[in-house]
Amino acid sequence: MEDLIFAAAKVMSVWLTVVFTLIVLPSVFGASLGISELYMRILVKTLEWATIRIQKGVKQEQAMALKNSASSGIIQRDETTMEKEIAGLHRVDFELSDVFYFSKKGIEAIVEDEVTQRFSSEELVSWNLLTRTNVNFQYISLRLTVVWVLGVLIRYCLLLPLRVTLAAIGIVSMIVGTTLVGQLPNSKENRPQKGGICVANHTSPIDVLILTNDGCYAMVGQAHGGLMGLIQRSTVKACPHVWFERSEMKDRHLVTKRLREHIADKNKLPILIFPEGTCINNTSVMMFKKGSFEIGGTIYPVAIKYDPQFGDAFWNSSKYDIVSYLLRIMTSWAIVCNVWYMPPMVREEGEDAVQFANRVKSAIARQGGLTELSWDGGLKRAKVKDTFKEQQQKNYSKMIVGNGSTGNPTMGAE
Amino acid sequence: RHAAATPHSLAGALEQGKPQTPLPDGSSRTGLKRLESQTQPLGKYDLQGIGELAVNPLGDRIINAFFKEGEDLTDFRSFIRVLAHFRPVEEGKSNETGRPEPMNSRLRKLQFAFQLYDQDSDGKISRDEMLQVLRLMVGIQVTDEQLVCIAERTIQEADQDGDGAISFEEFSVEKLNVEQRMSLRLLK
């Protein structure tokens, strides 16, 4: 029995030493041993091989169909607007067949919903040997299955313990040594400055890790419970952050006031805000809430794009909680992402908060290669506003009434 | 909410089951059966959750077209049957007598549109039913008098047997380009 404990202790100490020397120490000093790069090269080669095997195994037409459905959907949306369709029929007033347009649009929405699509994880064109992305693929060959089993072993028995160890070390040292957190000087070009606001598109809590890797920020966000809450409370000890209850956030004036106070104090770190308000699956950027853009100050936009080939970073918080999410992340191959720091933007004369928000959103979407949607991220949880419907109704009314020919010239359109 | 499948996953299931021919109208027994067993009932609430549908002025009526009178759930087969109306019409298929009318024929598409008006299913669009649809499409933008004007003029022009309402035959007369306006375009 003693021998067993001895052996276990020995293994643990060896393991910890290896981890410390190879990973923790170099990263503390900012150096790199090149292990990550080597790992990534091997990974890319393996995935390419796997893709080729799959393509051989699947019939050609099927592969093409899968490719299409993954990237652009099943139907080709008819982009003609109401005006064009009705004008094309050469008349200017109501016809019984006007319902055709709305029916078709409605059915298109049912078959392929632009919005809820964004809230489920991106479908990959080729499989990256993780079961969770295995939506479209069936059993292909024995060799592939063997590689997959090997992959599972590597991910769960090597990568997972490794990452858990690192996380444990990280969290413990953070909680114990929060008073020691230094303030890095921000002299790099385009990095957000003190008294500024940094906005970025949101995919997962990892966005925060990545940005803070490169600079110090004050966070704004929803106060969570559990492990996340513990982490949040300890960050506050080091430098001021602004954590909200989600119910408090409904009181927009209170929020704006707190944020204004924060940036007015030139000693405080730049605020990091995700104006979408929730995690999106990284194929598009949704509506930016205007609140962050009403505060004033300089906005530093940042675009973040994850490479989905190695692991899916998207956190569907209505489906997974933080721990199962972390488990998924730690058993993925890797999380690879591109971060672009963009030149600062300021609200221009005569531009209101909404227009400013849209301008920043377009810039971020363009930089990151994401599509732009004007839908509200809150649709993940709530229903849509009526203003969009009213807009459609307005357009339609203008057409059937605004052009006269109601038969009664004394009545004008509204 | 958890119990029912989302429309998107259903559409996705559609693709998986038959990668070459989406929207089956019963043409492949095994494919359809497998999908049926995989999916759970679809509720009105799920369709109402689609943003684009919620802002469609006729959104509610379109949703109701999928459900039987007074029911809140539908199964996969019935759901597909309604979607099948919007399948594009294939070129060159002649109207073979003796076969049942295909779901995506011109007639069926017109019937779908007619049904959006004719809520009491009496086979006629009354002036009130027309006013209801008009009101849905224009919202608050137009006055009652103007709408009544429009409705009465439309009935006057279309009504041929003089009963003050529009029957299906009167509705179907001369509707331009039904096949294209009431079909989805599927990607190959």
Side-chain angles (χ1 to χ4, degrees):
Chain A
M1 190 56 195
E2 266 185 5
D3 292 334
L4 211 59
I5 299 178
F6 252 177
K10 268 233 137 173
V11 169
M12 271 304 277
S13 57
V14 169
W15 174 246
L16 280 174
T17 327
V18 168
V19 169
F20 233 77
T21 45
L22 285 184
I23 300 180
V24 177
L25 280 180
S27 61
V28 165
F29 292 112
S32 164
L33 286 177
I35 297 183
S36 298
E37 280 81 11
L38 183 63
Y39 171 62
M40 292 305 284
R41 274 207 300 272
I42 297 179
L43 199 57
V44 168
K45 285 229 167 60
T46 319
L47 290 179
E48 273 171 12
W49 174 83
T51 313
I52 295 175
R53 296 291 318 172
I54 292 177
Q55 278 174 355
K56 280 192 195 151
V58 175
K59 291 192 212 98
Q60 195 56 21
E61 317 101 66
Q62 267 186 318
M64 280 305 291
L66 287 167
K67 186 164 190 280
N68 276 333
S69 73
S71 52
S72 46
I74 346 177
I75 55 178
Q76 186 178 346
R77 292 295 191 115
D78 201 344
E79 301 289 47
T80 36
T81 55
M82 211 185 328
E83 288 88 352
K84 277 205 216 121
E85 175 166 315
I86 295 190
L89 297 169
H90 301 297
R91 68 299 167 290
V92 290
D93 45 21
F94 172 68
E95 278 279 336
L96 286 167
S97 57
D98 283 349
V99 291
F100 289 179
Y101 175 81
F102 290 115
S103 316
K104 181 165 166 180
K105 282 272 166 258
I107 298 290
E108 277 177 351
I110 291 180
V111 171
E112 184 175 271
D113 177 18
E114 207 174 54
V115 173
T116 40
Q117 232 180 31
R118 307 297 171 182
F119 290 130
S120 49
S121 298
E122 193 176 354
E123 286 178 23
L124 288 178
V125 177
S126 66
W127 188 34
N128 62 352
L129 292 176
L130 299 172
T131 325
R132 59 194 71 127
T133 49
N134 185 9
V135 175
N136 282 325
F137 298 93
Q138 315 96 342
Y139 176 83
I140 303 290
S141 74
L142 182 62
R143 243 188 275 181
L144 200 61
T145 316
V146 167
V147 172
W148 177 76
V149 170
L150 208 65
V152 170
L153 284 173
I154 293 180
R155 283 187 291 123
Y156 280 86
C157 300
L158 178 62
L159 294 179
L160 177 60
L162 175 65
R163 288 163 178 165
V164 169
T165 318
L166 285 174
I169 294 177
I171 292 180
V172 165
S173 49
M174 187 177 80
I175 293 177
V176 165
T178 43
T179 48
L180 301 176
V181 170
Q183 302 218 1
L184 302 173
N186 283 327
S187 57
K188 298 179 199 160
E189 190 193 313
N190 280 346
R191 297 290 195 272
Q193 308 297 323
K194 287 195 184 145
I197 304 175
C198 175
V199 307
N201 59 315
H202 200 27
T203 307
S204 85
I206 295 185
D207 296 344
V208 174
L209 286 178
I210 290 167
L211 287 176
T212 48
N213 221 6
D214 221 13
C216 267
Y217 298 95
M219 321 283 189
V220 177
Q222 183 192 357
H224 284 88
L227 182 62
M228 197 64 169
L230 183 61
I231 296 176
Q232 284 176 343
R233 283 192 291 281
S234 46
T235 56
V236 174
K237 291 191 204 138
C239 50
H241 298 278
V242 191
W243 297 116
F244 289 105
E245 301 295 324
R246 209 172 257 278
S247 50
E248 225 181 80
M249 291 182 91
K250 287 207 181 122
D251 185 357
R252 280 189 23 239
H253 296 296
L254 179 68
V255 173
T256 318
K257 186 156 106 40
R258 273 178 86 176
L259 290 175
R260 258 207 201 110
E261 283 167 4
H262 186 106
I263 53 172
D265 183 352
K266 289 296 174 195
N267 282 328
K268 294 205 176 140
L269 301 169
I271 301 181
L272 179 59
I273 291 187
F274 297 103
E276 283 160 314
T278 187
C279 295
I280 316 287
N281 82 342
N282 209 233
T283 56
S284 62
V285 182
M286 288 206 158
M287 186 172 99
F288 274 14
K289 296 210 183 345
K290 62 176 177 167
S292 347
F293 300 90
E294 282 174 336
I295 306 171
T298 333
I299 302 277
Y300 297 87
V302 178
I304 304 179
K305 175 87 178 105
Y306 290 89
D307 189 345
Q309 205 188 0
F310 300 106
D312 181 20
F314 168 52
W315 182 25
N316 191 345
S317 55
S318 45
K319 214 171 161 195
Y320 303 108
D321 67 334
I322 183 75
V323 178
S324 42
Y325 168 69
L326 280 177
L327 200 65
R328 277 161 54 99
I329 292 295
M330 290 194 189
T331 53
S332 311
W333 292 114
I335 302 288
V336 178
C337 87
N338 294 308
V339 180
W340 289 276
Y341 290 96
M342 293 154 58
M345 298 168 105
V346 193
R347 178 148 48 130
E348 284 165 13
E349 287 294 320
E351 200 181 30
D352 71 356
V354 176
Q355 288 166 332
F356 183 37
N358 283 334
R359 196 159 59 91
V360 176
K361 182 177 73 139
S362 306
I364 292 185
R366 240 174 305 131
Q367 179 68 46
L370 306 161
T371 52
E372 221 187 301
L373 293 180
S374 35
W375 293 102
D376 191 339
L379 281 174
K380 205 197 217 170
R381 296 187 179 83
K383 294 214 178 171
V384 80
K385 292 206 210 24
D386 281 329
T387 41
F388 291 110
K389 194 196 256 189
E390 275 174 30
Q391 192 57 46
Q392 288 208 56
Q393 286 168 332
K394 264 202 199 126
N395 290 344
Y396 181 67
S397 321
K398 258 191 267 179
M399 273 183 297
I400 64 171
V401 172
N403 287 330
S405 64
T406 55
N408 202 333
T410 54
M411 288 192 214
E414 257 205 339
Chain B
R1 205 89 204 278
H2 250 279
T6 65
H8 177 68
S9 67
L10 278 174
L14 228 61
E15 260 304 306
Q16 277 181 57
K18 290 168 65 63
Q20 273 130 18
T21 324
L23 289 186
D25 51 351
S27 46
S28 161
R29 282 216 176 264
T30 42
L32 197 53
K33 270 200 163 23
R34 177 154 56 95
L35 289 169
E36 253 188 290
S37 61
Q38 278 175 356
T39 59
Q40 286 144 323
L42 183 70
K44 264 193 201 172
Y45 187 71
D46 297 294
L47 289 178
Q48 282 161 351
I50 302 178
E52 277 181 75
L53 204 51
V55 301
N56 189 318
L58 295 180
D60 275 335
R61 294 251 166 142
I62 296 173
I63 293 177
N64 287 335
F66 285 90
F67 297 88
K68 295 200 193 59
E69 179 86 38
E71 287 187 10
D72 270 346
L73 288 177
T74 186
D75 59 271
F76 186 70
R77 199 175 267 271
S78 320
F79 176 72
I80 291 299
R81 229 179 246 127
V82 177
L83 279 187
H85 289 302
F86 283 81
R87 192 161 152 222
V89 181
E90 285 114 20
E91 310 278 324
K93 256 210 172 139
S94 60
N95 203 355
E96 304 155 29
T97 47
R99 290 196 72 203
E101 183 87 25
M103 297 300 278
N104 63 334
S105 69
R106 187 171 187 278
L107 182 74
R108 292 259 182 264
K109 291 181 197 285
L110 284 168
Q111 276 175 343
F112 182 87
F114 187 78
Q115 183 210 11
L116 287 178
Y117 284 100
D118 185 19
Q119 293 286 291
D120 59 7
S121 309
D122 62 353
K124 290 184 193 302
I125 304 177
S126 69
R127 193 188 83 151
D128 282 331
E129 284 174 333
M130 182 165 318
L131 276 175
Q132 280 174 27
V133 173
L134 274 169
R135 182 50 77 192
L136 281 175
M137 292 201 283
V138 304
I140 53 171
Q141 306 296 324
V142 177
T143 64
D144 276 334
E145 293 90 4
Q146 283 171 307
L147 279 188
V148 167
C149 230
I150 295 175
E152 286 184 339
R153 183 182 45 80
T154 315
I155 295 186
Q156 206 175 28
E157 285 172 1
D159 192 12
Q160 304 201 330
D161 55 11
D163 60 354
I166 302 185
S167 68
F168 184 63
E169 286 73 26
E170 290 158 357
F171 179 77
S172 317
V173 149
E174 212 197 288
K175 290 286 170 291
L176 301 162
N177 219 353
V178 176
E179 288 85 345
Q180 198 197 31
R181 292 172 74 191
M182 293 283 275
S183 300
L184 298 179
R185 280 192 290 184
L186 301 160
L187 290 173
K188 294 280 172 287

